[in-house]
Amino acid sequence: MTTRGRVVVVGSANVDLVVDVPRPPRGGETILGGDLRRNPGGKGANQAVAAALAGGAETTFVGALGADDSADLLLTSLERAGVRTDLTGRADAPTGTALITVSPDGENTIVVAPGANARLELDTARTARIAAADVVLAQLEIPLDVVRGASAARGPGVLMALNAAPAQALPDDVWDAIDLLIVNEHEAVELTQAAGSAAELAAMLLERVSAVVITLGRGGCVVAEKGRDPLRIPGFSVDAVDTTGAGDTFCGVLAAALARGLELAEAARLACAAGALAVTRPGAQSAVPTAAEVAALAA
Ligand code: ADP
């Protein structure tokens, strides 16, 4: 294992087109909003930025962009964070785009046009990088077959982590393909189709996978591993201004810390610190803290 740890994020990249609105539009209705903002986003790209910048890991982003201006915006953000983009490809489709409205009460509406993300494929160079990783981190904004392929390409001892977001039911072979599941409370309820405390939901999920982390917003998270009692990691108290990207920052830093060889509970504590710092700043990738800031808060 390298001292920095090697993370390969296999996932989506989207441009977020964000407009503030007085309230969400109803069906058939046109409303006027504020100035358009164009931000780099997508769960995969956000998590790669977090793994590199806040987690300090040697991070590769395996994803598909289009041949358009949006791709340039995303590449610039990834590269500024120190993410390796040599295996970030260009597909014959528009770069993934999320159309987002934000109301004053913080309620969002989001429509995602997957575009190039739906064309992501694994080639020889990508599978070779995955085989040599310490941790592979995927989400559900890309084809499930790519998640299966990434898991199959792992070398011995490579940890396969899945952030099962956006929430959807998982086929049995995908459950079998992952070592660590990372979800928020809402996604945990979706996957279990049950109600209960985070510890109870984690116990149910442990019947399918050997390790689970459930994030709890300002409440921190619960970590659970087979054969051990679930552990609650408290959240760090901060003044939240924008919770966008907290979950992605958490996932990227968790993967990076595990790649460095930290235990799950200690990695989750760093991830909680990073998620807390992310909510103190607006945006997703622009809100990702540095590794030094994370270490200072977690100290
Ligand atoms: P998601 O964004 O996927 O819904 P969460 O809201 O659970 O995920 O946030 C992910 C992590 O970010 C939490 O586990 C926590 O560590 C941190 N976090 C989120 N919101 C806050 C907050 N208001 N204060 C402190 N930490 C937060």
Side-chain angles (χ1 to χ4, degrees):
M1 183 179 294
T2 54
T3 44
R4 284 178 72 198
R6 286 166 302 208
V7 174
V8 177
V9 178
V10 182
S12 60
N14 292 326
V15 163
D16 293 344
L17 301 180
V18 188
V19 58
D20 293 322
V21 291
R23 57 176 174 74
R26 287 189 280 271
E29 187 188 26
T30 301
I31 61 170
L32 295 182
D35 287 347
L36 181 70
R37 297 191 296 280
R38 208 165 149 261
N39 299 327
K43 292 181 191 301
N46 293 348
Q47 293 181 16
V49 164
L53 188 63
E58 184 193 312
T59 306
T60 298
F61 177 57
V62 168
L65 305 172
D68 48 28
D69 291 353
S70 300
D72 299 335
L73 179 77
L74 281 155
L75 278 177
T76 302
S77 183
L78 287 161
E79 283 164 10
R80 192 179 294 149
V83 176
R84 293 179 71 177
T85 58
D86 55 323
L87 301 180
T88 308
R90 302 261 183 161
D92 185 19
T95 295
T97 304
L99 307 174
I100 304 175
T101 70
V102 182
S103 303
D105 61 4
E107 194 187 337
N108 294 356
T109 68
I110 305 179
V111 177
V112 176
N117 295 306
R119 270 75 162 183
L120 178 59
E121 288 175 2
L122 297 178
D123 58 14
T124 320
R126 289 169 169 172
T127 45
R129 187 75 54 86
I130 288 167
D134 296 305
V135 175
V136 178
L137 174 60
Q139 319 76 30
L140 298 177
E141 288 184 334
I142 52 170
L144 268 185
D145 262 349
V146 178
V147 177
R148 293 185 179 97
S151 174
R154 283 176 300 158
V158 181
L159 183 93
M160 179 77 201
L162 178 70
N163 171 219
Q168 59 171 268
L170 296 179
D172 287 345
D173 69 325
V174 172
W175 281 109
D176 295 342
I178 59 180
D179 304 311
L180 168 64
L181 178 77
I182 312 164
V183 286
N184 65 22
E185 263 181 306
H186 160 71
E187 291 146 3
V189 167
E190 266 309 295
L191 285 175
T192 54
Q193 293 291 306
S197 69
E200 287 163 348
L201 294 171
M204 289 176 223
L205 292 167
L206 276 186
E207 289 169 18
R208 308 300 311 260
V209 63
S210 53
V212 174
V213 176
I214 302 181
T215 64
L216 304 169
R218 78 180 54 170
C221 68
V222 164
V223 303
E225 291 175 272
K226 270 206 174 113
R228 298 193 192 181
D229 288 336
L231 200 63
R232 172 74 177 271
I233 314 283
F236 290 83
S237 181
V238 293
D239 290 328
V241 302
D242 178 1
T243 58
T244 317
D248 289 337
T249 301
F250 182 100
C251 290
V253 170
L254 186 76
L258 291 171
R260 281 212 309 278
L262 268 63
E263 291 286 328
L264 184 59
E266 184 52 22
R269 217 174 79 77
L270 284 181
C272 278
L277 288 167
V279 305
T280 65
R281 297 164 194 173
Q285 291 176 26
S286 57
V288 172
T290 63
E293 289 170 325
V294 175
L297 182 61

